[in-house]
Amino acid sequence: MIEIRNLCKKYELGGTTVNALDNVSFDIRADEFVAIMGRSGSGKSTLLQVLGLLDQPTSGSYKLFGKEVAHLTENDLAIYRRLTLGFIFQQFHLLPRLSALDNVAMPLIYSGLSSIHASPKNLLAVVSLQDRMEHKPRELSGGQQQRVAIARALVNEPRILLADEPTGNLDTTSQADILNLLDQMHKSGIGVIVVTHDEEVAERAHRILRMQDGRLVSDSQTKNGKKKKRTVTGINTTIDSTTHASWFAYFVKLLGEGYRAVIANKLRSALSMLGITIGVASVIAMLALGSGAQKAIESQLTGLGANVIVVRPSAVRVGGVAQESGSPARITLDDVPWIKERVGAIQGAAGNVTGRAQVTFGNKNWNTLVQGAGLEYAAIRNAMPELGRMYTHAEEQSRARVALLGLTVVRELYGNENPVGTFIKINKVNFQVIGVMPSKGGGGFRDQDDVVVVPLTTAMYRLLGKQYVDSMDVEIRAGANIDDAGDAIKEALAMRHRIPASMQEGGYQIFNLDDIRTAMTAASSTMSALLAAIAAVSLLVGGIGIMNIMLVSVTERTKEIGLRKAVGARPQDILLQFLVETLVVSLSGGALGLVLGGVISLLMSQFAGWSVSISAFSIVLSIVFSVFIGLVFGIYPARKAAHLNPIDALRHE
Ligand code: ADP
Ligand code: MG
C-alpha cells in the first residue's frame, strides 16, 4: 500500500531550482497495475525512484505499508527494498562479471532467503531463459538482459514491482515479451508500477497517472481496470526483518564474491598482492636472520664456562677519542705466566692473537682466520681436538709450525679426506696439520668453524708479526670470587705496566660470560630491530598499495554498489563485501610472502652461511599483520562505498 501526500522533490542546479516533483498526492493499492505517463522530463523517474526508496523526497509524506518512510533508518530502508520492492531499470543494470544465473541470485546474498520459493533457475525459466543461464550479460540481447533483470527483481518475492521504462531500449518483439511478463506478475498477485511514455505499454495497465512538469495532472482507470475487481488476499503487510538464516552461509557467499572480484582483475590484484608479499617475506626473513644471530651467539658462548673471563687492554680515551697506538696498557707474552703466578685465584691462562691468512693445500686456496692460542686454551675453552692432538709445551716454546684446522677449512681444502699429518701453507709458510678442532656449531655472521689454530708464539712471530697479545682467557678456580679475581688481575697488570692512576679502568677491561652475552645480544637485537623496522616499512608500503587499489576499485564499481543497495544491501553488507575482498588480497599476499620468506631464509643459510631460524612468532606476526593491513587499509574505501545514496551511485559514470 502506497500513500503519498504533497510530495516534492527539488534539484538545485547551478543556482536554479528544478521542481522535479511538485505537490504530488495519490494512493496505490498493493495489487494494482499502474502506468505513470508523461513527457520526458515530467518527473516520472524521480517519482518512481522515491517510491522505490532509492531517493528521498525534499518534502511531503510517503507511507509504504503504513510506515512513514522518512522515519526509517538506512538499514530499515534496505530491508524494505529487499523484501517488498523489486526495481527494473531502463538500462537493465546487470553486473557484467556475473552469469545470468548469478545476476538473478545476487539479491539472495543480502536477504539470506532460501531460494526454495522462487529459485533463480525457475525464475529464469519463467522469463524463458533457461538455456541462457551461464551466459554473461554481454552475450545476451537487450530483451534477454531485461528479462534477466526482471527475474532478479522477482527473486526476493517482492510485493510491488517498479519498472522505469522497462522497454525503452528494446525492439517491439522484446517489448511484447516484457509486457506479457509484467501482466503475468500482476496476475500472480504482485503490484506493478511502470513508467512509460508509450501508450501501448500503458494500455496494459489498469490505471494511468499522468505527469506534467512534476505535477500529477490526471488519474484514470483504463478499460482493463474497469473489469471486475480482483480481490487479492494473502498479502501480508507486516514487514518481517529476517536477515540471515546463517551467518556462515552469508560469509561464504561474501567470500565467493570477494574471490570473484579478485579473479576478475587478475593483474591488478596480483600487483597489490605483491606489495604485501614482499613485506611479509622481508619480515619473515629479517626476523629469521635476527633470531639466527641470537642463536649463533649462544652457541659461540657455550664453550665459554661461567668461571672464564677475558682480559683485554682497553683503548685509552683522551677527550672521548680512542687512542689505539701508544697505549701503555698492553699484554705481553710474559704477562700470561706472570699473572698466573701472581693471582692465586687463577686456575689457567692463555693468550690469544688473531689475524687473517691465506691457507693453501695442493692447488686449493682458502682465506681464513688464524688464531694463535696459548697451550691452555683447549682446556679453558673446552675445545680439545676431535681428531689428532693438541700441540705440546715444547712445540709452543719452539714456535713450531703445527696447525689445527676448523671443520670449514677441512671441508674447503680436503673435502672428505683426513687432513691429519698432511702439510699446508699458511701465508706461504709450511705447516703440519696435527688435528681438527671440534665444531662450535651455529653460524652467525661469521662461521665459527672457519678457523686455523696455531701455537700463540708461532702466530705472533711467524705469521702475524705481533709483539703483544690481543687478549687473555683466564679460568678462575672454583669457589673463588670472579669479580675479586678480575680486580686483582687488573690491578696487577696496571702496576706491572705502570699505567697512570688517572687512566680510566686501570687500562684493562675484564669481560665475563654475562658481559659478553649482554653486549653481543644488545648489538644483535639492535640490528634485528633495525631490520624489522625496514621490513615493516615495506609492509606498510604494501598496505598503501592495497588501499590505493581498493579506492580505485570502489570508484570504478560505484554503479555496482548502487545496484546492490537498490536490491537491498545494507551499508554493512557493502562494507563487509569490500573488507572481505581486501582480506582475500592481503591474506593471499601474506601466505605467498610466508612461503617466499621461508625460501629466502633457506637460501641465506644455504649460500651465505648465515644461520637463520624461523620462529612461530614471526609466522603469527606476519599473518596478523597482513590481516591488520587489509582491515586498516580496506576500511576507508569500503566505508566510502557503503554510505552512497543508491540512486546517486547508479547514476555514476
Ligand atoms: P522523466 O523520467 O519524466 O523523463 P525525470 O524524473 O528524470 O523525468 O526528471 C525530472 C526533472 O528533474 C527533469 O527536469 C530533470 O532535468 C530533473 N532531474 C532529474 N534528475 C536530476 C538530477 N540528478 N539532478 C538535477 N536535476 C535532475
Ligand atoms: Mg525517466
Side-chain angles (χ1 to χ4, degrees), residues 538-555:
S538 60
L539 206 52
L540 191 72
V541 171
I544 292 172
I546 286 207
M547 177 159 84
N548 212 345
I549 297 291
M550 291 314 289
L551 271 173
V552 170
S553 165
V554 167
T555 314

Side-chain angles (χ1 to χ4, degrees), residues 40-41 43-46 49 90 164-165 195:
S40 179
K44 308 179 296 289
S45 295
T46 306
Q49 283 152 11
Q90 183 173 356
D164 190 355
E165 311 249 16
V195 162

Side-chain angles (χ1 to χ4, degrees), residues 515-574:
D515 294 338
I516 297 170
R517 179 177 284 136
T518 313
M520 288 173 98
T521 307
S524 103
S525 47
T526 308
M527 195 203 59
S528 305
L530 200 71
L531 293 178
I534 293 168
V537 167
S538 60
L539 206 52
L540 191 72
V541 171
I544 292 172
I546 286 207
M547 177 159 84
N548 212 345
I549 297 291
M550 291 314 289
L551 271 173
V552 170
S553 165
V554 167
T555 314
E556 204 182 65
R557 285 156 64 193
T558 306
K559 247 189 155 128
E560 172 183 338
I561 293 162
L563 178 73
R564 288 181 187 273
K565 293 196 78 173
V567 301
R570 293 164 304 168
Q572 71 242 43
D573 293 318
I574 302 288

Side-chain angles (χ1 to χ4, degrees), residues 384-555:
M384 287 310 282
E386 246 179 13
L387 212 63
R389 61 174 180 85
M390 190 63 192
Y391 35 81
T392 61
H393 183 69
E395 281 167 335
E396 159 98 75
Q397 287 299 303
S398 63
R399 304 174 190 179
R401 289 173 304 212
V402 291
L404 294 146
L405 306 186
L407 283 174
T408 302
V409 179
V410 174
R411 193 176 61 237
E412 294 297 334
L413 296 182
Y414 294 86
N416 288 328
E417 275 161 50
N418 183 354
V420 177
T422 62
F423 286 87
I424 56 170
K425 280 194 163 83
I426 304 178
N427 282 355
K428 305 212 176 79
V429 181
N430 265 318
F431 275 78
Q432 183 172 30
V433 179
I434 57 167
V436 176
M437 296 301 283
S439 171
K440 289 195 180 166
F445 300 103
R446 192 177 70 72
D447 181 357
Q448 294 294 302
D449 294 328
D450 187 3
V451 68
V452 172
V453 178
V454 299
L456 179 62
T457 47
T458 316
M460 286 171 72
Y461 303 119
R462 285 192 198 274
L463 284 177
L464 305 174
K466 290 194 178 188
Q467 295 182 51
Y468 302 105
V469 174
D470 293 343
S471 67
M472 185 163 60
D473 291 351
V474 178
E475 187 175 2
I476 309 298
R477 268 183 225 290
N481 184 311
I482 291 196
D483 291 337
D484 291 349
D487 287 344
I489 292 168
K490 265 202 294 200
E491 229 167 81
L493 282 174
M495 202 181 72
R496 181 165 153 96
H497 290 277
R498 298 198 180 82
I499 307 296
S502 61
M503 232 179 102
Q504 251 185 29
E505 290 289 310
Y508 294 92
Q509 282 177 298
I510 306 281
F511 302 92
N512 63 30
L513 188 64
D514 282 343
D515 294 338
I516 297 170
R517 179 177 284 136
T518 313
M520 288 173 98
T521 307
S524 103
S525 47
T526 308
M527 195 203 59
S528 305
L530 200 71
L531 293 178
I534 293 168
V537 167
S538 60
L539 206 52
L540 191 72
V541 171
I544 292 172
I546 286 207
M547 177 159 84
N548 212 345
I549 297 291
M550 291 314 289
L551 271 173
V552 170
S553 165
V554 167
T555 314

Side-chain angles (χ1 to χ4, degrees), residues 113 116 170 245 253 329 332 358 598:
L113 288 180
I116 297 167
L170 302 179
K253 274 184 182 158
T332 64
Q358 194 73 21

